[in-house]
Amino acid sequence: MTNDLPKGFRAGTAAANFKKAGRDDLGLIVSDRPCVLAGMFTQNLFKAAPVLVCQEILASRGTARAVLANAGQANACTGEEGLANCRATQKMAAEAAGLDARDILPISTGVIGAHLRMDLWRAAVPALIQSLGSRDAEGFTRAFMTTDAFPKFASREVMLSGGGVRLTVMAKGAGMICPNMATMLCVALTDADVDRAPWQAMFGRAVDKTFNRVSVDGDTSTNDTILGLANGASGVAARSEADLALLEEALTAILATVSHMLVMDGEGASKVIHITVTGARDDRDAELAARSVGHSQLVKTAIYGGDANWGRIVTAVGYSGAQFDPARVGLRLCGVERFRLGRPVNDDQEEKLAQLLKARDVEVEIDLGGGSGSYSFQASDLGHEYVTLNSDYRS
């Protein structure tokens, strides 16, 4: 086991057999002291029970000591019974770990509408508590994977003026990725000593630049949650503007690393499309254009098939809602100029582009030719396997 968790955090997992026998599908991370809490959540109106509970804790307390994660049951659209079951799992884990139930943040993933299997929870919690301290970031991440092909986690050291602190981020997600203020499920931990207000503020900015700029399929889940816990166990404080800036820079970088993993692992995906829009009237118009291209099924399938179909890209820009002069638009695909001042160019580059489009990463650069607004966005392509996976997800 690699000790890649920040100081003061312990992780454990258990196989509760929620969906598949023999795999860890229940995880717990506990801090040895209270953590300053930051969080962002799905904007879907059908919010799962664990989302509602986490939002309540963030609003009423602003601190927490643990994250309790499960796969196999989303506990979404389950009504009052689902909310009661969620609170019951908090109480179970709290009593076994010697915590207050309100100190535990629940996160769940799985089929919408499925209730938590409380008998399996009761049977698994003792083993979960016993395993605390025996798992690293990868082990905890594996406990709440669903269709993920690989665990998504990263850790890095940051040198502040008072010494070093550690950041560790763990996430799951391969489908239903089109977050608005969050992503599927993600937990970010640090042993830095940081106040609540700047921690939440930098967390929001970092998420907006990273997880909120990726898409697999244009769907936003009922359970999307990203949590940030800072326990101060390093004894190194981030108080000055310089230290806060260093911590935010590192947080943004590590969230970018992990959010990129989500797009790489998009269900059925083979490529990541890196979309950059410049020359927009403002950043909002640039965002509209970038997201329109990233969500276009025709663009995504063309990239999957290695078809340098620039027409699909400019069409998606055209219906995006962004305001621009079509006669001033330019487009580069894989570095090759294909569209200039509203007209196609370099039609003799098809063979070259066919080779370039075989790469794992595909660059799409769009210049709207009308201002200083810009935006970047990442999307996966769309292949046959996406349909295969999602046509029998519940079986």
Side-chain angles (χ1 to χ4, degrees):
M1 182 185 76
T2 303
N3 185 23
D4 51 4
L5 296 176
K7 292 178 181 177
F9 289 99
R10 294 175 296 144
T13 64
N17 301 317
F18 291 138
K19 186 173 181 180
K20 293 182 181 179
R23 61 151 283 190
D24 286 349
D25 49 13
L26 183 60
L28 180 67
I29 282 185
V30 177
S31 170
D32 62 12
R33 65 196 72 195
C35 304
V36 171
L37 177 62
M40 303 180 79
F41 306 93
T42 182
Q43 296 299 296
N44 194 314
L45 293 181
F46 288 101
K47 290 177 173 57
V51 171
L52 296 174
V53 170
C54 283
Q55 287 181 316
E56 179 183 285
I57 293 171
L58 178 63
S60 64
R61 294 165 61 85
T63 62
R65 291 232 1 230
V67 178
L68 179 64
N70 76 274
Q73 307 128 94
N75 198 9
C77 300
T78 50
E80 290 300 320
E81 181 182 350
L83 199 57
N85 284 340
C86 184
R87 297 191 193 284
T89 63
Q90 288 176 285
K91 185 177 180 181
M92 269 187 238
E95 289 177 349
L99 300 173
D100 186 314
R102 296 172 298 172
D103 280 332
I104 298 180
L105 299 158
I107 55 176
S108 300
T109 183
V111 175
I112 293 170
H115 281 280
L116 299 181
R117 299 182 61 183
M118 303 306 289
D119 56 333
L120 297 181
W121 276 83
R122 284 187 287 270
V125 164
L128 176 67
I129 302 303
Q130 187 175 7
S131 74
L132 277 173
S134 68
R135 300 293 191 271
D136 55 11
E138 179 178 352
F140 178 76
T141 305
R142 286 186 178 278
F144 61 103
M145 287 169 49
T146 50
T147 59
D148 304 62
F150 61 88
K152 302 165 182 71
F153 64 96
S155 187
R156 65 185 296 164
E157 300 288 332
V158 188
M159 287 304 300
L160 304 181
S161 60
V165 300
R166 173 167 287 184
L167 283 164
T168 298
V169 176
M170 298 152 287
K172 66 82 54 187
M176 290 191 83
I177 304 294
C178 180
N180 181 7
M181 305 304 289
T183 184
M184 281 297 287
L185 297 179
C186 180
V187 178
L189 309 175
T190 184
D191 50 22
D193 177 8
V194 58
D195 291 332
R196 180 183 176 186
W199 178 235
Q200 177 68 55
M202 75 169 69
F203 205 76
R205 289 189 294 266
V207 169
D208 192 50
K209 294 175 183 176
T210 57
F211 281 107
N212 278 356
R213 298 195 184 198
V214 299
S215 174
V216 170
D217 51 19
D219 275 311
T220 298
S221 171
T222 54
N223 292 57
D224 291 354
T225 299
I226 179 164
L227 300 170
L229 287 80
N231 69 1
S234 66
V236 177
R239 297 283 188 276
S240 68
E241 287 187 12
D243 280 339
L244 288 170
L246 285 171
L247 186 61
E248 182 170 345
E249 180 183 7
L251 177 66
T252 304
I254 194 170
L255 292 181
T257 296
V258 176
S259 62
H260 178 65
M261 293 178 186
L262 267 68
V263 187
M264 288 177 60
D265 191 28
E267 290 172 344
S270 62
K271 298 168 187 172
V272 177
I273 311 168
H274 300 263
I275 304 159
T276 304
V277 176
T278 57
R281 182 178 58 173
D282 52 33
D283 290 349
R284 176 57 180 160
D285 267 3
E287 179 180 354
L288 286 172
R291 288 184 179 272
S292 183
V293 172
H295 293 160
S296 167
Q297 294 186 42
L298 290 178
V299 171
K300 291 156 79 74
T301 51
I303 298 300
Y304 175 79
D307 180 5
N309 193 335
W310 58 265
R312 292 184 176 182
I313 299 172
V314 298
T315 297
V317 173
Y319 64 66
S320 67
Q323 299 300 305
F324 57 88
D325 180 355
R328 302 182 67 179
V329 172
L331 166 68
R332 301 179 74 88
L333 180 59
C334 300
V336 177
E337 188 178 27
R338 294 308 317 274
F339 201 66
R340 181 195 311 149
L341 299 178
R343 294 179 179 275
V345 294
N346 292 329
D347 285 340
D348 59 346
Q349 299 295 306
E350 291 284 342
E351 188 173 326
K352 177 181 179 180
L353 279 166
Q355 293 301 312
L356 293 173
L357 283 169
K358 293 179 179 179
R360 175 68 168 165
D361 295 281
V362 174
E363 300 285 343
V364 176
E365 302 165 85
I366 302 156
D367 182 1
L368 298 183
S372 59
S374 64
Y375 197 80
S376 59
F377 193 70
Q378 294 182 57
S380 64
D381 61 355
L382 182 61
H384 307 283
E385 189 62 20
Y386 182 86
V387 177
T388 301
L389 283 166
N390 284 285
S391 60
D392 64 354
Y393 177 70
R394 295 195 303 167
S395 60

